[in-house]
Amino acid sequence: MDRKIILSGIQPSGNLCLGNYIGALKNWESLQDEYDSIFLVVDMHALTSTQSPSNLRNRCLSFVAQYVACGIDPEKSIIAIQSHIHEHAELMWVLNSICYIGELNRMTQFKDKSKNQKNKNVGLFTYPVLMASDILLYQADLVPVGADQKQHLELSRNLAVRFNNKYSETFKVPEPFIPKVGSRIMSLQDPLKKMSKSDENLNNIISLLDTDNDIRKKISRAVTDSGSEIKYLKEKPGLSNLIDIYASLTKESIKSIENNYQGKMYSVLKKDLIEIIINNLSPIRSEYNKIIKDKTYLNDLLKKGSDNASYRARKTLSKVYRKVGFVKK
Ligand code: TRP
C-alpha cells in the first residue's frame, strides 16, 4: 500500500528556535521514515509581514540548511521552497473563489495579527487559503502542526470538502497531527506566551544556532518562581516549561523528572537542562555550518525538491483546472 502523505511548513521569519525544534523539526525527522513526507519553507506566507528582500532570501536558504541539519533527509523527504512551485499561488486563486469572507474573518490568528501589525495587507487575511493550497495541492493525509494552527487546518478541510461536493471528488481531506508533548514550548522570560521565532527579545528564545554560551546564559536567566519545589504545576509556568523542554529532549516522563529532582534546587535542574540542550543543539549547529557553505549541495537539493514537488502539484492542479471548467491549453 502507498504510504500516507504528510506535509508541513515553517514561515521563514525570525530565527528557528527550540520551540520549532521540539514542536516540529524533531518530530518531522522521525516521521519521515514512516510517511511520504513533504517539508516546505513557506516564503510566500512570509510576505504577509514586512521583510527585507535580502534577509528573506538568506533566511530561506538558512532554514533549508537547518532542516537538513536537524536530520530531515533530502533522500527520504521532499524539501522545497514554496515559491519555487507556482501551483501554490494558482490553486490558491481557485480556493479563494470558494472561501467565504466570513470564514476568514473568524480566524483568530488573523484577528490577533491585524490588531498588532501595522501593515494590514490582504495577504494577512487570505493567508489561511494559501495554507490550504499548500496542503491540498499534495493530497496530504496528515499535517503536523502546533495547536495554534488547528483552526487553519479546519478551514483546509472545509475547503476540500466544499470543492469535492461542488465539482466531484478531487482533494484528500487532511487531518491535523498535533503532538501531545512539546507542542507548546513557552517563552523563557514570559512563560505564559509561546516561544516564538519572531520574538524580538532574543532572551525569550533559544535559537537553533545559539552558541553554547548563549544557551547557558538564557537558561540560567529563565524566569521561574519564588518557590523551591521542583513540581510541574500550572502555578509554576516557568519551571513547568523548563521541565517540558527537559522531558521532550530526553523522552523522560515528567513524573520521573519530578522524582529525580525532589529536594534539589532549581539551579540544579537548570544546570542539567543546559547540558541537555547543548548536547542536542551543538551537533545541529556544526552540521548547519557545513551545509550552509556548500551552495552546490543546497542548490541541487532544492532543485530535486522542487522538481518532485512540482510533478505532484501539476497533477492536482490540472485536475482542478479541468473540473472548474478552464479550457485545456
Ligand atoms: N501557517 C503555518 C504556521 O504559521 C505555516 C504553514 C504554511 C503551514 N503552510 C503550511 C503548516 C502548510 C503546515 C502546512 O505555523
mmCIF file of all heavy atoms in Angstrom, residues 189-235:
data_model
loop_
_atom_site.group_PDB
_atom_site.id
_atom_site.type_symbol
_atom_site.label_atom_id
_atom_site.label_comp_id
_atom_site.label_asym_id
_atom_site.label_seq_id
_atom_site.Cartn_x
_atom_site.Cartn_y
_atom_site.Cartn_z
ATOM 1 N N GLN A 189 11.323 34.141 29.225
ATOM 2 C CA GLN A 189 11.134 35.284 30.116
ATOM 3 C C GLN A 189 9.667 35.538 30.436
ATOM 4 O O GLN A 189 9.350 36.209 31.410
ATOM 5 C CB GLN A 189 11.732 36.557 29.488
ATOM 6 C CG GLN A 189 13.244 36.533 29.334
ATOM 7 C CD GLN A 189 13.957 36.405 30.668
ATOM 8 O OE1 GLN A 189 13.571 37.051 31.641
ATOM 9 N NE2 GLN A 189 14.979 35.566 30.734
ATOM 10 N N ASP A 190 8.789 35.047 29.575
ATOM 11 C CA ASP A 190 7.355 35.262 29.776
ATOM 12 C C ASP A 190 6.636 33.944 29.477
ATOM 13 O O ASP A 190 6.064 33.762 28.402
ATOM 14 C CB ASP A 190 6.886 36.376 28.816
ATOM 15 C CG ASP A 190 5.403 36.649 28.966
ATOM 16 O OD1 ASP A 190 4.754 36.005 29.813
ATOM 17 O OD2 ASP A 190 4.885 37.510 28.219
ATOM 18 N N PRO A 191 6.677 33.024 30.448
ATOM 19 C CA PRO A 191 6.238 31.648 30.174
ATOM 20 C C PRO A 191 4.732 31.479 29.958
ATOM 21 O O PRO A 191 4.266 30.359 29.813
ATOM 22 C CB PRO A 191 6.716 30.865 31.404
ATOM 23 C CG PRO A 191 6.933 31.873 32.462
ATOM 24 C CD PRO A 191 7.251 33.172 31.792
ATOM 25 N N LEU A 192 4.006 32.611 29.889
ATOM 26 C CA LEU A 192 2.588 32.482 29.553
ATOM 27 C C LEU A 192 2.390 32.666 28.050
ATOM 28 O O LEU A 192 1.289 32.507 27.523
ATOM 29 C CB LEU A 192 1.756 33.512 30.329
ATOM 30 C CG LEU A 192 1.799 33.345 31.852
ATOM 31 C CD1 LEU A 192 1.011 34.428 32.556
ATOM 32 C CD2 LEU A 192 1.284 31.957 32.255
ATOM 33 N N LYS A 193 3.493 32.971 27.395
ATOM 34 C CA LYS A 193 3.457 33.259 25.957
ATOM 35 C C LYS A 193 4.268 32.168 25.243
ATOM 36 O O LYS A 193 5.280 31.698 25.772
ATOM 37 C CB LYS A 193 4.183 34.597 25.786
ATOM 38 C CG LYS A 193 3.834 35.432 24.639
ATOM 39 C CD LYS A 193 4.526 36.789 24.713
ATOM 40 C CE LYS A 193 5.999 36.701 24.318
ATOM 41 N NZ LYS A 193 6.706 37.959 24.352
ATOM 42 N N LYS A 194 3.829 31.799 24.035
ATOM 43 C CA LYS A 194 4.544 30.758 23.306
ATOM 44 C C LYS A 194 5.952 31.221 22.905
ATOM 45 O O LYS A 194 6.136 32.405 22.612
ATOM 46 C CB LYS A 194 3.724 30.441 22.051
ATOM 47 C CG LYS A 194 4.103 29.148 21.381
ATOM 48 C CD LYS A 194 3.164 28.851 20.244
ATOM 49 C CE LYS A 194 3.947 28.145 19.154
ATOM 50 N NZ LYS A 194 3.154 27.668 18.051
ATOM 51 N N MET A 195 6.930 30.320 22.918
ATOM 52 C CA MET A 195 8.259 30.680 22.408
ATOM 53 C C MET A 195 8.127 30.871 20.905
ATOM 54 O O MET A 195 7.753 29.946 20.188
ATOM 55 C CB MET A 195 9.293 29.584 22.702
ATOM 56 C CG MET A 195 10.696 29.963 22.265
ATOM 57 S SD MET A 195 11.952 28.673 22.487
ATOM 58 C CE MET A 195 12.231 28.687 24.238
ATOM 59 N N SER A 196 8.372 32.092 20.436
ATOM 60 C CA SER A 196 8.108 32.386 19.028
ATOM 61 C C SER A 196 9.390 32.789 18.325
ATOM 62 O O SER A 196 10.141 33.632 18.825
ATOM 63 C CB SER A 196 7.092 33.521 18.940
ATOM 64 O OG SER A 196 7.202 34.160 17.692
ATOM 65 N N LYS A 197 9.617 32.192 17.158
ATOM 66 C CA LYS A 197 10.851 32.512 16.433
ATOM 67 C C LYS A 197 10.901 33.969 15.998
ATOM 68 O O LYS A 197 11.956 34.478 15.677
ATOM 69 C CB LYS A 197 11.039 31.554 15.248
ATOM 70 C CG LYS A 197 9.992 31.664 14.170
ATOM 71 C CD LYS A 197 10.313 30.657 13.086
ATOM 72 C CE LYS A 197 9.203 30.413 12.095
ATOM 73 N NZ LYS A 197 8.236 31.430 11.819
ATOM 74 N N SER A 198 9.746 34.632 15.982
ATOM 75 C CA SER A 198 9.751 36.035 15.559
ATOM 76 C C SER A 198 9.882 36.990 16.735
ATOM 77 O O SER A 198 9.829 38.213 16.547
ATOM 78 C CB SER A 198 8.475 36.366 14.805
ATOM 79 O OG SER A 198 8.236 35.409 13.833
ATOM 80 N N ASP A 199 10.056 36.453 17.946
ATOM 81 C CA ASP A 199 10.182 37.322 19.116
ATOM 82 C C ASP A 199 11.416 38.210 18.979
ATOM 83 O O ASP A 199 12.509 37.726 18.666
ATOM 84 C CB ASP A 199 10.302 36.445 20.378
ATOM 85 C CG ASP A 199 9.904 37.184 21.631
ATOM 86 O OD1 ASP A 199 10.270 38.373 21.758
ATOM 87 O OD2 ASP A 199 9.234 36.588 22.473
ATOM 88 N N GLU A 200 11.212 39.495 19.192
ATOM 89 C CA GLU A 200 12.359 40.398 19.038
ATOM 90 C C GLU A 200 13.294 40.340 20.232
ATOM 91 O O GLU A 200 14.492 40.619 20.118
ATOM 92 C CB GLU A 200 11.872 41.828 18.807
ATOM 93 C CG GLU A 200 11.572 42.042 17.331
ATOM 94 C CD GLU A 200 10.700 43.228 17.061
ATOM 95 O OE1 GLU A 200 10.623 44.135 17.917
ATOM 96 O OE2 GLU A 200 10.084 43.239 15.984
ATOM 97 N N ASN A 201 12.775 39.957 21.383
ATOM 98 C CA ASN A 201 13.623 39.800 22.554
ATOM 99 C C ASN A 201 14.260 38.409 22.523
ATOM 100 O O ASN A 201 13.619 37.401 22.838
ATOM 101 C CB ASN A 201 12.790 39.990 23.816
ATOM 102 C CG ASN A 201 13.625 39.810 25.075
ATOM 103 O OD1 ASN A 201 14.811 39.468 25.001
ATOM 104 N ND2 ASN A 201 13.012 40.024 26.218
ATOM 105 N N LEU A 202 15.531 38.360 22.141
ATOM 106 C CA LEU A 202 16.181 37.064 21.930
ATOM 107 C C LEU A 202 16.407 36.303 23.236
ATOM 108 O O LEU A 202 16.720 35.111 23.212
ATOM 109 C CB LEU A 202 17.490 37.243 21.155
ATOM 110 C CG LEU A 202 17.302 37.729 19.706
ATOM 111 C CD1 LEU A 202 18.637 37.891 19.002
ATOM 112 C CD2 LEU A 202 16.395 36.797 18.900
ATOM 113 N N ASN A 203 16.226 36.969 24.389
ATOM 114 C CA ASN A 203 16.314 36.247 25.663
ATOM 115 C C ASN A 203 15.111 35.342 25.900
ATOM 116 O O ASN A 203 15.126 34.487 26.773
ATOM 117 C CB ASN A 203 16.411 37.236 26.836
ATOM 118 C CG ASN A 203 17.778 37.857 26.874
ATOM 119 O OD1 ASN A 203 18.770 37.204 26.553
ATOM 120 N ND2 ASN A 203 17.841 39.126 27.240
ATOM 121 N N ASN A 204 14.061 35.554 25.101
ATOM 122 C CA ASN A 204 12.868 34.720 25.246
ATOM 123 C C ASN A 204 13.012 33.373 24.575
ATOM 124 O O ASN A 204 12.255 32.456 24.847
ATOM 125 C CB ASN A 204 11.650 35.424 24.620
ATOM 126 C CG ASN A 204 11.151 36.557 25.491
ATOM 127 O OD1 ASN A 204 11.415 36.575 26.684
ATOM 128 N ND2 ASN A 204 10.452 37.500 24.888
ATOM 129 N N ILE A 205 13.955 33.296 23.640
ATOM 130 C CA ILE A 205 14.034 32.072 22.837
ATOM 131 C C ILE A 205 15.453 31.500 22.837
ATOM 132 O O ILE A 205 16.432 32.232 23.032
ATOM 133 C CB ILE A 205 13.600 32.330 21.366
ATOM 134 C CG1 ILE A 205 14.653 33.145 20.606
ATOM 135 C CG2 ILE A 205 12.266 33.039 21.289
ATOM 136 C CD1 ILE A 205 14.364 33.249 19.117
ATOM 137 N N ILE A 206 15.532 30.184 22.642
ATOM 138 C CA ILE A 206 16.820 29.580 22.319
ATOM 139 C C ILE A 206 16.780 29.346 20.821
ATOM 140 O O ILE A 206 15.930 28.601 20.326
ATOM 141 C CB ILE A 206 16.999 28.211 23.032
ATOM 142 C CG1 ILE A 206 16.850 28.335 24.542
ATOM 143 C CG2 ILE A 206 18.303 27.543 22.608
ATOM 144 C CD1 ILE A 206 18.097 28.589 25.316
ATOM 145 N N SER A 207 17.652 30.029 20.120
ATOM 146 C CA SER A 207 17.698 29.826 18.675
ATOM 147 C C SER A 207 18.504 28.560 18.401
ATOM 148 O O SER A 207 19.399 28.209 19.165
ATOM 149 C CB SER A 207 18.355 31.056 18.045
ATOM 150 O OG SER A 207 18.993 30.698 16.848
ATOM 151 N N LEU A 208 18.171 27.881 17.290
ATOM 152 C CA LEU A 208 18.912 26.646 16.964
ATOM 153 C C LEU A 208 20.384 26.929 16.741
ATOM 154 O O LEU A 208 21.211 26.050 16.869
ATOM 155 C CB LEU A 208 18.339 25.987 15.703
ATOM 156 C CG LEU A 208 16.982 25.323 15.819
ATOM 157 C CD1 LEU A 208 16.717 24.444 14.610
ATOM 158 C CD2 LEU A 208 16.886 24.491 17.085
ATOM 159 N N LEU A 209 20.703 28.173 16.393
ATOM 160 C CA LEU A 209 22.097 28.499 16.099
ATOM 161 C C LEU A 209 22.777 29.258 17.238
ATOM 162 O O LEU A 209 23.898 29.731 17.084
ATOM 163 C CB LEU A 209 22.181 29.297 14.780
ATOM 164 C CG LEU A 209 21.555 28.590 13.573
ATOM 165 C CD1 LEU A 209 21.632 29.455 12.324
ATOM 166 C CD2 LEU A 209 22.211 27.243 13.315
ATOM 167 N N ASP A 210 22.122 29.332 18.391
ATOM 168 C CA ASP A 210 22.762 29.967 19.557
ATOM 169 C C ASP A 210 24.037 29.215 19.935
ATOM 170 O O ASP A 210 24.098 27.986 19.816
ATOM 171 C CB ASP A 210 21.808 29.929 20.771
ATOM 172 C CG ASP A 210 20.870 31.128 20.819
ATOM 173 O OD1 ASP A 210 21.091 32.081 20.051
ATOM 174 O OD2 ASP A 210 19.911 31.107 21.613
ATOM 175 N N THR A 211 25.022 29.953 20.446
ATOM 176 C CA THR A 211 26.253 29.299 20.918
ATOM 177 C C THR A 211 25.974 28.631 22.270
ATOM 178 O O THR A 211 24.971 28.938 22.928
ATOM 179 C CB THR A 211 27.369 30.341 21.135
ATOM 180 O OG1 THR A 211 26.929 31.234 22.175
ATOM 181 C CG2 THR A 211 27.651 31.130 19.875
ATOM 182 N N ASP A 212 26.903 27.773 22.679
ATOM 183 C CA ASP A 212 26.746 27.101 23.982
ATOM 184 C C ASP A 212 26.614 28.149 25.087
ATOM 185 O O ASP A 212 25.829 27.985 26.020
ATOM 186 C CB ASP A 212 27.955 26.200 24.283
ATOM 187 C CG ASP A 212 28.005 25.005 23.332
ATOM 188 O OD1 ASP A 212 27.044 24.823 22.561
ATOM 189 O OD2 ASP A 212 29.015 24.274 23.367
ATOM 190 N N ASN A 213 27.400 29.207 24.948
ATOM 191 C CA ASN A 213 27.352 30.254 25.953
ATOM 192 C C ASN A 213 26.003 30.970 26.014
ATOM 193 O O ASN A 213 25.497 31.266 27.088
ATOM 194 C CB ASN A 213 28.456 31.277 25.677
ATOM 195 C CG ASN A 213 29.366 31.362 26.871
ATOM 196 O OD1 ASN A 213 29.003 30.868 27.953
ATOM 197 N ND2 ASN A 213 30.527 31.987 26.692
ATOM 198 N N ASP A 214 25.441 31.257 24.836
ATOM 199 C CA ASP A 214 24.104 31.864 24.779
ATOM 200 C C ASP A 214 23.117 30.969 25.526
ATOM 201 O O ASP A 214 22.282 31.444 26.293
ATOM 202 C CB ASP A 214 23.585 31.961 23.330
ATOM 203 C CG ASP A 214 24.379 32.927 22.471
ATOM 204 O OD1 ASP A 214 24.917 33.888 23.027
ATOM 205 O OD2 ASP A 214 24.451 32.711 21.237
ATOM 206 N N ILE A 215 23.224 29.658 25.264
ATOM 207 C CA ILE A 215 22.284 28.710 25.881
ATOM 208 C C ILE A 215 22.438 28.747 27.405
ATOM 209 O O ILE A 215 21.454 28.827 28.138
ATOM 210 C CB ILE A 215 22.520 27.281 25.328
ATOM 211 C CG1 ILE A 215 22.225 27.257 23.825
ATOM 212 C CG2 ILE A 215 21.669 26.247 26.077
ATOM 213 C CD1 ILE A 215 22.612 25.973 23.110
ATOM 214 N N ARG A 216 23.689 28.731 27.847
ATOM 215 C CA ARG A 216 23.938 28.793 29.307
ATOM 216 C C ARG A 216 23.295 30.025 29.915
ATOM 217 O O ARG A 216 22.578 29.948 30.914
ATOM 218 C CB ARG A 216 25.445 28.851 29.577
ATOM 219 C CG ARG A 216 26.046 27.509 29.632
ATOM 220 C CD ARG A 216 27.470 27.467 30.151
ATOM 221 N NE ARG A 216 28.009 26.229 29.638
ATOM 222 C CZ ARG A 216 28.822 26.133 28.594
ATOM 223 N NH1 ARG A 216 29.257 27.214 27.982
ATOM 224 N NH2 ARG A 216 29.204 24.953 28.165
ATOM 225 N N LYS A 217 23.558 31.163 29.291
ATOM 226 C CA LYS A 217 23.043 32.422 29.832
ATOM 227 C C LYS A 217 21.517 32.431 29.856
ATOM 228 O O LYS A 217 20.897 32.786 30.853
ATOM 229 C CB LYS A 217 23.517 33.597 28.960
ATOM 230 C CG LYS A 217 24.795 34.235 29.472
ATOM 231 C CD LYS A 217 24.997 35.576 28.799
ATOM 232 C CE LYS A 217 26.287 35.533 28.016
ATOM 233 N NZ LYS A 217 26.411 36.383 26.869
ATOM 234 N N LYS A 218 20.917 32.044 28.724
ATOM 235 C CA LYS A 218 19.462 32.179 28.613
ATOM 236 C C LYS A 218 18.725 31.246 29.564
ATOM 237 O O LYS A 218 17.714 31.642 30.152
ATOM 238 C CB LYS A 218 19.024 31.938 27.173
ATOM 239 C CG LYS A 218 19.472 33.048 26.240
ATOM 240 C CD LYS A 218 19.006 32.787 24.827
ATOM 241 C CE LYS A 218 19.557 33.832 23.880
ATOM 242 N NZ LYS A 218 19.048 33.622 22.502
ATOM 243 N N ILE A 219 19.222 30.025 29.725
ATOM 244 C CA ILE A 219 18.541 29.107 30.652
ATOM 245 C C ILE A 219 18.778 29.545 32.099
ATOM 246 O O ILE A 219 17.872 29.525 32.927
ATOM 247 C CB ILE A 219 18.976 27.637 30.423
ATOM 248 C CG1 ILE A 219 18.533 27.165 29.040
ATOM 249 C CG2 ILE A 219 18.412 26.711 31.514
ATOM 250 C CD1 ILE A 219 17.033 27.105 28.813
ATOM 251 N N SER A 220 20.004 29.989 32.397
ATOM 252 C CA SER A 220 20.258 30.441 33.778
ATOM 253 C C SER A 220 19.335 31.583 34.153
ATOM 254 O O SER A 220 18.889 31.675 35.297
ATOM 255 C CB SER A 220 21.696 30.931 33.953
ATOM 256 O OG SER A 220 22.582 29.976 33.480
ATOM 257 N N ARG A 221 19.071 32.453 33.177
ATOM 258 C CA ARG A 221 18.232 33.622 33.485
ATOM 259 C C ARG A 221 16.748 33.379 33.277
ATOM 260 O O ARG A 221 15.944 34.301 33.469
ATOM 261 C CB ARG A 221 18.639 34.787 32.576
ATOM 262 C CG ARG A 221 20.011 35.306 32.920
ATOM 263 C CD ARG A 221 20.373 36.424 31.970
ATOM 264 N NE ARG A 221 21.782 36.732 32.084
ATOM 265 C CZ ARG A 221 22.478 37.387 31.166
ATOM 266 N NH1 ARG A 221 21.880 37.819 30.062
ATOM 267 N NH2 ARG A 221 23.747 37.624 31.345
ATOM 268 N N ALA A 222 16.386 32.185 32.840
ATOM 269 C CA ALA A 222 14.964 31.923 32.555
ATOM 270 C C ALA A 222 14.138 32.149 33.819
ATOM 271 O O ALA A 222 14.545 31.780 34.916
ATOM 272 C CB ALA A 222 14.789 30.492 32.054
ATOM 273 N N VAL A 223 12.979 32.761 33.606
ATOM 274 C CA VAL A 223 12.096 33.093 34.726
ATOM 275 C C VAL A 223 11.520 31.822 35.361
ATOM 276 O O VAL A 223 11.060 30.921 34.648
ATOM 277 C CB VAL A 223 10.928 33.961 34.195
ATOM 278 C CG1 VAL A 223 9.791 34.019 35.187
ATOM 279 C CG2 VAL A 223 11.427 35.352 33.862
ATOM 280 N N THR A 224 11.602 31.736 36.695
ATOM 281 C CA THR A 224 10.891 30.642 37.383
ATOM 282 C C THR A 224 9.923 31.263 38.391
ATOM 283 O O THR A 224 9.111 32.085 37.995
ATOM 284 C CB THR A 224 11.874 29.652 38.064
ATOM 285 O OG1 THR A 224 12.849 30.394 38.792
ATOM 286 C CG2 THR A 224 12.565 28.766 37.050
ATOM 287 N N ASP A 225 9.999 30.883 39.645
ATOM 288 C CA ASP A 225 9.116 31.486 40.642
ATOM 289 C C ASP A 225 9.861 31.496 41.964
ATOM 290 O O ASP A 225 10.967 30.979 42.056
ATOM 291 C CB ASP A 225 7.799 30.689 40.746
ATOM 292 C CG ASP A 225 8.066 29.227 41.041
ATOM 293 O OD1 ASP A 225 8.316 28.892 42.206
ATOM 294 O OD2 ASP A 225 8.059 28.422 40.087
ATOM 295 N N SER A 226 9.234 32.045 42.984
ATOM 296 C CA SER A 226 9.979 32.225 44.237
ATOM 297 C C SER A 226 9.978 30.957 45.093
ATOM 298 O O SER A 226 10.617 30.913 46.144
ATOM 299 C CB SER A 226 9.376 33.389 45.020
ATOM 300 O OG SER A 226 8.011 33.103 45.216
ATOM 301 N N GLY A 227 9.282 29.932 44.641
ATOM 302 C CA GLY A 227 9.259 28.687 45.411
ATOM 303 C C GLY A 227 10.560 27.903 45.263
ATOM 304 O O GLY A 227 11.538 28.402 44.699
ATOM 305 N N SER A 228 10.570 26.679 45.800
ATOM 306 C CA SER A 228 11.808 25.913 45.690
ATOM 307 C C SER A 228 11.551 24.456 45.342
ATOM 308 O O SER A 228 12.469 23.690 45.123
ATOM 309 C CB SER A 228 12.585 26.009 46.997
ATOM 310 O OG SER A 228 11.759 25.502 48.029
ATOM 311 N N GLU A 229 10.273 24.093 45.220
ATOM 312 C CA GLU A 229 9.988 22.687 44.971
ATOM 313 C C GLU A 229 9.873 22.414 43.463
ATOM 314 O O GLU A 229 9.167 23.142 42.754
ATOM 315 C CB GLU A 229 8.658 22.335 45.658
ATOM 316 C CG GLU A 229 8.623 20.913 46.147
ATOM 317 C CD GLU A 229 7.223 20.537 46.607
ATOM 318 O OE1 GLU A 229 6.374 21.442 46.736
ATOM 319 O OE2 GLU A 229 6.993 19.346 46.814
ATOM 320 N N ILE A 230 10.566 21.387 43.004
ATOM 321 C CA ILE A 230 10.519 21.087 41.568
ATOM 322 C C ILE A 230 9.288 20.249 41.267
ATOM 323 O O ILE A 230 9.263 19.038 41.438
ATOM 324 C CB ILE A 230 11.839 20.425 41.115
ATOM 325 C CG1 ILE A 230 12.962 21.439 41.370
ATOM 326 C CG2 ILE A 230 11.742 19.974 39.659
ATOM 327 C CD1 ILE A 230 14.256 21.190 40.708
ATOM 328 N N LYS A 231 8.240 20.948 40.868
ATOM 329 C CA LYS A 231 6.951 20.305 40.589
ATOM 330 C C LYS A 231 6.348 20.914 39.335
ATOM 331 O O LYS A 231 6.441 22.110 39.108
ATOM 332 C CB LYS A 231 5.979 20.547 41.762
ATOM 333 C CG LYS A 231 6.103 19.562 42.891
ATOM 334 C CD LYS A 231 4.714 18.957 43.190
ATOM 335 C CE LYS A 231 4.726 17.638 43.954
ATOM 336 N NZ LYS A 231 5.157 16.476 43.252
ATOM 337 N N TYR A 232 5.746 20.061 38.528
ATOM 338 C CA TYR A 232 5.120 20.512 37.282
ATOM 339 C C TYR A 232 3.697 20.973 37.606
ATOM 340 O O TYR A 232 2.803 20.167 37.807
ATOM 341 C CB TYR A 232 5.096 19.335 36.309
ATOM 342 C CG TYR A 232 4.680 19.701 34.914
ATOM 343 C CD1 TYR A 232 5.616 20.101 33.970
ATOM 344 C CD2 TYR A 232 3.345 19.617 34.528
ATOM 345 C CE1 TYR A 232 5.240 20.421 32.669
ATOM 346 C CE2 TYR A 232 2.959 19.947 33.232
ATOM 347 C CZ TYR A 232 3.913 20.342 32.310
ATOM 348 O OH TYR A 232 3.539 20.665 31.029
ATOM 349 N N LEU A 233 3.534 22.286 37.701
ATOM 350 C CA LEU A 233 2.238 22.833 38.122
ATOM 351 C C LEU A 233 1.871 24.057 37.297
ATOM 352 O O LEU A 233 2.748 24.816 36.884
ATOM 353 C CB LEU A 233 2.301 23.291 39.585
ATOM 354 C CG LEU A 233 2.447 22.254 40.698
ATOM 355 C CD1 LEU A 233 2.665 22.959 42.025
ATOM 356 C CD2 LEU A 233 1.200 21.379 40.751
ATOM 357 N N LYS A 234 0.572 24.224 37.106
ATOM 358 C CA LYS A 234 0.055 25.408 36.411
ATOM 359 C C LYS A 234 0.558 26.697 37.055
ATOM 360 O O LYS A 234 0.868 27.679 36.376
ATOM 361 C CB LYS A 234 -1.472 25.390 36.505
ATOM 362 C CG LYS A 234 -2.160 25.468 35.164
ATOM 363 C CD LYS A 234 -3.560 26.055 35.343
ATOM 364 C CE LYS A 234 -4.219 26.260 34.001
ATOM 365 N NZ LYS A 234 -5.111 25.143 33.666
ATOM 366 N N GLU A 235 0.638 26.675 38.388
ATOM 367 C CA GLU A 235 1.064 27.888 39.117
ATOM 368 C C GLU A 235 2.556 28.143 38.956
ATOM 369 O O GLU A 235 3.057 29.159 39.442
ATOM 370 C CB GLU A 235 0.771 27.770 40.624
ATOM 371 C CG GLU A 235 -0.659 27.488 41.019
ATOM 372 C CD GLU A 235 -1.038 26.023 40.849
ATOM 373 O OE1 GLU A 235 -0.517 25.206 41.599
ATOM 374 O OE2 GLU A 235 -1.835 25.716 39.933
#
